[in-house]
Protein backbone atom coordinates (compact mmCIF):
# COMPACT_ATOMS: atom_id res chain seq x y z
CA UNK A 1 0.00 0.00 0.00
CA UNK A 2 1.80 3.08 -1.18
CA UNK A 3 1.54 6.33 0.69
CA UNK A 4 2.12 9.49 -1.30
CA UNK A 5 2.71 13.03 -0.17
CA UNK A 6 0.75 15.72 -1.92
CA UNK A 7 0.57 19.45 -1.93
CA UNK A 8 -2.68 21.19 -2.78
CA UNK A 9 -2.46 23.83 -5.49
CA UNK A 10 -5.48 25.64 -4.14
CA UNK A 11 -4.98 25.78 -0.37
CA UNK A 12 -1.26 24.93 -0.36
CA UNK A 13 -1.56 22.40 2.42
CA UNK A 14 0.52 19.26 2.44
CA UNK A 15 -0.97 15.90 3.20
CA UNK A 16 -0.35 12.25 2.60
CA UNK A 17 -2.72 9.81 1.01
CA UNK A 18 -2.73 6.08 1.25
CA UNK A 19 -3.90 4.14 -1.77
CA UNK A 20 -5.38 0.72 -1.53
CA UNK A 21 -5.25 0.31 -5.27
CA UNK A 22 -3.72 2.28 -8.19
CA UNK A 23 -7.10 3.34 -9.55
CA UNK A 24 -7.72 5.49 -6.51
CA UNK A 25 -4.70 7.62 -7.33
CA UNK A 26 -6.53 9.21 -10.24
CA UNK A 27 -9.35 10.23 -7.96
CA UNK A 28 -7.06 11.80 -5.39
CA UNK A 29 -8.34 15.04 -3.88
CA UNK A 30 -7.13 17.50 -1.35
CA UNK A 31 -7.94 16.39 2.13
CA UNK A 32 -8.72 19.91 3.26
CA UNK A 33 -10.56 21.69 0.45
CA UNK A 34 -11.41 18.73 -1.78
CA UNK A 35 -9.66 20.27 -4.76
CA UNK A 36 -8.52 17.95 -7.50
CA UNK A 37 -5.68 20.27 -8.28
CA UNK A 38 -2.97 18.61 -6.26
CA UNK A 39 0.60 17.72 -7.01
CA UNK A 40 2.64 14.84 -5.81
CA UNK A 41 5.69 15.62 -3.73
CA UNK A 42 8.44 13.27 -4.72
CA UNK A 43 11.35 14.40 -2.66
CA UNK A 44 9.98 14.14 0.82
CA UNK A 45 9.21 10.46 1.01
CA UNK A 46 12.78 9.26 1.17
CA UNK A 47 13.66 11.45 4.12
CA UNK A 48 11.72 9.43 6.61
CA UNK A 49 12.78 6.06 5.32
CA UNK A 50 14.90 3.70 7.28
CA UNK A 51 17.73 2.00 5.49
CA UNK A 52 15.74 -1.23 5.36
CA UNK A 53 12.89 0.59 3.65
CA UNK A 54 15.29 2.18 1.22
CA UNK A 55 16.82 -1.16 0.38
CA UNK A 56 13.52 -2.88 -0.19
CA UNK A 57 12.20 -0.03 -2.34
CA UNK A 58 15.39 0.27 -4.27
CA UNK A 59 15.33 -1.15 -7.77
CA UNK A 60 18.83 -1.97 -9.00
CA UNK A 61 17.68 -2.46 -12.58
CA UNK A 62 16.50 1.12 -12.93
CA UNK A 63 18.87 3.90 -13.90
CA UNK A 64 19.26 6.67 -11.39
CA UNK A 65 19.88 10.31 -12.08
CA UNK A 66 22.46 12.56 -10.56
CA UNK A 67 19.98 13.70 -7.96
CA UNK A 68 19.95 10.26 -6.49
CA UNK A 69 23.60 10.45 -5.57
CA UNK A 70 23.37 13.96 -4.25
CA UNK A 71 21.79 12.30 -1.25
CA UNK A 72 24.84 10.76 0.35
CA UNK A 73 22.71 8.23 2.16
CA UNK A 74 22.01 6.62 -1.20
CA UNK A 75 25.67 6.06 -1.93
CA UNK A 76 26.51 2.43 -1.47
CA UNK A 77 22.88 1.45 -1.40
CA UNK A 78 23.06 0.00 -4.87
CA UNK A 79 26.05 -2.15 -4.04
CA UNK A 80 24.47 -3.34 -0.84
CA UNK A 81 21.22 -4.25 -2.52
CA UNK A 82 23.00 -6.01 -5.37
CA UNK A 83 25.01 -8.05 -2.90
CA UNK A 84 21.85 -9.04 -1.14
CA UNK A 85 20.19 -10.05 -4.38
CA UNK A 86 23.17 -12.18 -5.24
CA UNK A 87 23.05 -13.75 -1.83
CA UNK A 88 26.44 -12.42 -0.87
CA UNK A 89 26.73 -11.56 2.77
CA UNK A 90 29.64 -9.28 3.36
CA UNK A 91 28.43 -8.47 6.83
CA UNK A 92 30.28 -5.73 8.61
CA UNK A 93 32.91 -5.52 5.89
CA UNK A 94 30.29 -4.27 3.47
CA UNK A 95 29.05 -1.71 5.94
CA UNK A 96 32.59 -0.52 6.32
CA UNK A 97 33.02 -0.13 2.57
CA UNK A 98 29.68 1.62 2.23
CA UNK A 99 30.53 3.92 5.09
CA UNK A 100 33.81 4.83 3.43
CA UNK A 101 31.98 5.48 0.20
CA UNK A 102 29.54 7.76 1.91
CA UNK A 103 32.15 9.79 3.68
CA UNK A 104 34.37 10.00 0.61
CA UNK A 105 37.23 8.16 2.30
CA UNK A 106 37.05 5.42 -0.29
CA UNK A 107 38.38 7.87 -2.86
CA UNK A 108 41.42 8.55 -0.71
CA UNK A 109 42.28 4.89 -0.80
CA UNK A 110 41.91 4.63 -4.56
CA UNK A 111 44.09 7.67 -5.03
CA UNK A 112 47.01 6.19 -3.14
ZN1 LIG B 1 -6.64 22.04 -0.73
Amino acid sequence: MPIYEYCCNRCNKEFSLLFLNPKEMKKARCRFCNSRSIRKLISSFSVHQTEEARLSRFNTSQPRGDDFYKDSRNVGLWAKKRMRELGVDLGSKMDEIVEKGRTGKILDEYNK
Side-chain angles (χ1 to χ4, degrees):
M1 278 186 291
I3 298 171
Y4 293 107
E5 303 281 322
Y6 285 93
C7 184
C8 177
N9 291 324
R10 195 202 276 172
C11 69
N12 248 337
K13 285 188 171 127
E14 290 181 16
F15 54 97
S16 48
L17 293 175
L18 177 125
F19 296 104
L20 300 174
N21 68 63
K23 282 178 199 160
E24 287 179 28
M25 286 174 67
K26 290 182 187 139
K27 295 187 285 181
R29 284 169 184 271
C30 172
R31 219 178 239 217
F32 301 95
C33 69
N34 216 29
S35 168
R36 298 198 69 162
S37 178
I38 57 175
R39 63 183 188 273
K40 207 190 271 182
L41 300 174
I42 321 156
S43 55
S44 64
F45 76 93
S46 57
V47 177
H48 310 290
Q49 278 180 22
T50 62
E51 183 164 271
E52 270 315 304
R54 279 164 179 266
L55 279 171
S56 64
R57 193 187 286 252
F58 198 59
N59 186 347
T60 45
S61 60
Q62 272 178 3
R64 286 156 303 279
D66 288 345
D67 281 352
F68 182 82
Y69 288 110
K70 279 180 191 155
D71 184 344
S72 65
R73 289 168 303 182
N74 285 328
V75 175
L77 206 60
W78 185 87
K80 222 168 173 180
K81 173 96 179 191
R82 245 353 242 146
M83 290 298 173
R84 251 183 222 203
E85 282 175 355
L86 296 169
V88 181
D89 185 15
L90 293 172
S92 59
K93 186 72 187 162
M94 189 66 206
D95 283 332
E96 205 180 293
I97 293 167
V98 166
E99 195 52 43
K100 275 182 191 164
R102 283 175 186 172
T103 54
K105 281 180 192 152
I106 202 160
L107 294 173
D108 295 344
E109 293 193 5
Y110 284 131
N111 287 336
K112 268 176 197 166

